[in-house]
Amino acid sequence: MTAQDQIIFLAELSHLIDELQELVRDYCRLLTAGQDGCMVEDEPQYRNIPF
């Protein structure tokens, strides 16, 4: 695997990780949407904080 192939692979992997993290975050919001005292933040500055 060339260096360019490795960079492309890592960029695609990073993108997939971001998508999966967003799916998990959305699912957590869905689960907690109807609960009182929910601590899930839905503000833009908290969107890129990993679990």
Side-chain angles (χ1 to χ4, degrees):
M1 196 180 241
T2 66
Q4 182 179 0
D5 291 337
Q6 289 178 355
I7 291 170
I8 291 170
F9 171 77
L10 292 173
E12 290 174 356
L13 182 61
S14 177
H15 178 72
L16 288 173
I17 290 169
D18 290 341
E19 286 183 5
L20 180 58
Q21 182 173 327
E22 188 64 28
L23 284 172
V24 170
R25 191 177 288 123
D26 290 343
Y27 183 69
C28 289
R29 283 194 190 92
L30 180 67
L31 287 177
T32 58
Q35 297 178 6
D36 291 333
C38 174
M39 298 298 291
V40 178
E41 300 287 340
D42 193 19
E43 298 179 18
Q45 69 266 25
Y46 298 119
R47 283 231 167 244
N48 292 325
I49 298 174
F51 286 97

